[in-house]
Amino acid sequence: MSYKEEIKELTELVRSDDDWSDIRNILNEVGFMSGEIVMAGFAENEDEREFGIFINKADLKVYEYERSTADGENNSKNIYLYEKTGDRVFYAQQPHIELALEMISKNEI
């Protein structure tokens, strides 16, 4: 799967898939509108931790997040957001960010 296909798939999941309603609701609760989120990366591990990168289409700010998916911790109190907008070192490590920003500018997502 290409980065472009992955970005489209992840974005669709976070915006409308029932299995992703927990992260969608948490992001809405902390001030993001799910229809404006473009997911540029996602990973999870065996320790009930989830990690992701998303762009807020409304202002083109880039965020990295980490959260617990453990029972009782799957809420807005257990998400950590780090704004990474313009962080060239981070962008270099995550090449799909530039692609996601380009897709937004071309109205492809």
Side-chain angles (χ1 to χ4, degrees):
M1 177 182 303
S2 72
Y3 280 149
K4 194 176 236 186
E5 292 169 331
E6 184 178 349
I7 291 165
K8 285 181 178 182
E9 182 179 317
L10 288 171
T11 298
E12 182 62 31
L13 289 169
V14 78
R15 287 182 180 176
S16 61
D17 190 276
D18 288 344
D19 290 338
W20 286 55
S21 63
D22 52 350
I23 185 60
R24 181 172 48 252
N25 293 336
I26 289 169
L27 290 174
N28 286 338
E29 189 176 326
V30 297
F32 297 96
M33 296 183 61
S34 56
E36 295 293 313
I37 293 171
V38 173
M39 285 296 282
F42 176 81
E44 55 191 341
N45 66 22
E46 296 169 1
D47 297 325
E48 298 183 278
R49 303 294 302 167
E50 181 180 287
F51 311 88
I53 300 167
F54 69 92
I55 300 164
N56 184 27
K57 277 181 71 172
D59 57 13
L60 298 179
K61 290 188 177 181
V62 177
Y63 295 89
E64 179 181 31
Y65 79 86
E66 177 182 348
R67 74 182 188 105
S68 173
T69 57
D71 286 342
E73 294 182 12
N74 191 3
N75 56 53
S76 63
K77 293 178 182 150
N78 290 293
I79 188 168
Y80 302 94
L81 292 167
Y82 311 97
E83 186 181 342
K84 297 291 190 170
T85 308
D87 183 335
R88 293 291 163 206
V89 173
F90 185 71
Y91 285 24
Q93 296 168 342
Q94 310 290 338
H96 43 285
I97 294 171
E98 292 287 355
L99 178 58
L101 287 166
E102 180 182 320
M103 290 170 69
I104 292 168
S105 73
K106 292 181 177 179
N107 256 351
E108 295 178 351
I109 198 159

